[in-house]
Amino acid sequence: MSENPVAMESRAQILDRRQNLVEIKNLVKYFPVRGGLLQRTVAQVQAVDRVSFTIREGETLGLVGESGCGKTTIGRTMLRLIEPTSGEVRFDGVDILKLRGRELKAMRRNMQIIFQDPYASLDPRIPVGESIAEGLRIHRVGTRRQQDEIVMDTLRKVGLEEYYARRYPHEFSGGQRQRIGIARALALRPKFIVADEPVSALDVSIQSQVLNILKDLQGEFNLTFMFIAHNLSVVEHISDRVAVMYLGKVVELTDREELFRNPLQPYTQALMSAIPIPDPTIRRERIILQGDVPSPLNPPKGCRFHPRCPVVMSECSVKEPPLLEIKPAHWVACLRVNP
């Protein structure tokens, strides 16, 4: 009996044939800094500066970088939780930045978020079942009884008992609260979910459980994820492609296996050198970056990484490197890699 050729395809080959579900083009988000008697704008925090990438249907794009590099700002701007300064965010071909009123409300049903702090994102005054059902009530999905059934079914899918719906957030552990946050994002059966560091506050054993739940749900509902994290081991486990950010810009973007096998941007190489190896007999040469991350209030001219780069060249302080495809599906912003 012959092998089924479809079954032998890799996940990467399947994703390559799929259409882009999310497209970000030249996304910019500056936060004004006000001062003086009249509270005029005296400076701009350049949180996100001309970022572009795509996410295919059913894919998980990992977004990594140091704290303060703009990862969370991108996720919240994509969902219109905060308004962008400029740029385009297209979901299924529709520019959501141009939507208003009912059109925007209808689009939100397809795009949800899992917050980093599961306790702060839950209302402590109402049972968790009501929090999960809130989106269903707002979008008027089914009858009250059908909404309750969806809540119970969603709780089961994230590994929780149905009677938990009547309990309050303070009665749960951190891992359970994060599962409740996943259930709330899943209740409306969205197409796209931004997972904003969903396991960073959890124990390692609980992290693996939550990650496996996310992967199982992705397979069951064909979900598309943008997974924001600073733990590269977690990103390697769950992502299909990875985008590396530094000070508001994407500096490298490629397939997960390619990135971990052959990082080309010096900043990415430094991040990779910090990943611990579980074998004590193997030593990895650490790349120690000098200095602190510059302020987004006044980012360096030229390449933003050049004040800390171990292989800096004279032109790096003058010319800003564009994000270019230096080999198939491997994008890098570095003058040394692509002069």
Side-chain angles (χ1 to χ4, degrees), residues 214-231:
L214 291 175
K215 294 189 76 169
D216 292 342
L217 292 173
Q218 183 176 43
E220 182 175 353
F221 296 104
N222 192 31
L223 293 171
T224 303
F225 283 112
M226 187 172 80
F227 193 92
I228 300 170
H230 56 259
N231 186 329

Side-chain angles (χ1 to χ4, degrees), residues 83-97:
E83 292 296 326
T85 303
S86 63
E88 292 183 18
V89 179
R90 293 190 173 274
F91 179 83
D92 218 0
V94 178
D95 188 352
I96 68 168
L97 302 185

Side-chain angles (χ1 to χ4, degrees), residues 28 32 44 89 96 98 138 154 172 193 206 219 231 243 268 296 314:
V28 175
Q44 299 273 2
V89 179
I96 68 168
K98 295 179 179 179
I138 292 172
T154 307
F172 296 95
I193 294 178
I206 305 300
N231 186 329
T268 309
S314 58

Side-chain angles (χ1 to χ4, degrees), residues 135-149:
L136 301 171
R137 313 262 198 260
I138 292 172
H139 290 276
R140 299 179 181 178
V141 177
T143 64
R144 186 70 180 231
R145 182 173 181 177
Q146 289 172 330
Q147 292 170 357
D148 291 340
E149 290 174 353

Side-chain angles (χ1 to χ4, degrees), residues 287-305:
I287 300 175
I288 306 297
L289 299 179
Q290 303 298 318
D292 297 323
V293 180
S295 170
L297 273 170
N298 186 26
K301 296 186 182 299
C303 175
R304 295 191 175 187
F305 183 58

